[in-house]
Amino acid sequence: MNETKEYTFDLEECYSPDDIHSMLAQELQFPEYYGYNLDALYDVLTELPYDCRITFTGCDTASAVIGAKFMRNLERACNDASSYNDHLNIEFI
């Protein structure tokens, strides 16, 4: 049985989309060619070959600081990726 890798990302300390992409890229060990945009995020999340649970916390604060539009788009990209990749479960709190 495969062990699920679990990650929690606190977005309260993020002040820009780049902060979020950098945090994800570093912790999830994205490839060097990662494009630091939502299309690239979708691509790497759909390619994760292991069981992975990602929880984003501090979403209300991030929405106020970074912008509600970006946060909606981030959530949409993540939800689309988790719908495509059966190994992936993502939650926004």
Side-chain angles (χ1 to χ4, degrees):
M1 177 180 254
N2 292 337
E3 183 177 325
T4 300
K5 294 183 181 183
E6 296 193 24
Y7 301 92
T8 299
F9 296 101
D10 183 0
L11 302 183
E12 286 191 17
E13 298 300 319
C14 295
Y15 300 99
S16 71
D18 285 343
D19 289 345
I20 294 173
H21 287 290
S22 294
M23 180 173 54
L24 291 169
Q26 180 180 354
E27 189 67 29
L28 297 173
Q29 300 177 343
F30 289 168
E32 281 188 35
Y33 60 81
Y34 176 64
Y36 289 80
N37 61 62
L38 295 176
D39 289 334
L41 177 62
Y42 172 85
D43 289 344
V44 295
L45 290 177
T46 59
E47 295 172 0
L48 288 178
Y50 52 85
D51 291 338
C52 182
R53 178 176 176 79
I54 298 171
T55 303
F56 291 99
T57 62
C59 295
D60 289 340
T61 300
S63 186
V65 173
I66 297 171
K69 182 178 179 181
F70 175 80
M71 290 302 295
R72 280 192 307 271
N73 290 336
L74 172 64
E75 188 168 357
R76 183 177 312 124
C78 289
N79 288 337
D80 288 350
S82 65
S83 292
Y84 182 85
N85 185 344
D86 292 335
H87 297 286
L88 185 60
N89 182 300
I90 301 177
E91 182 178 13
F92 287 78
I93 300 174

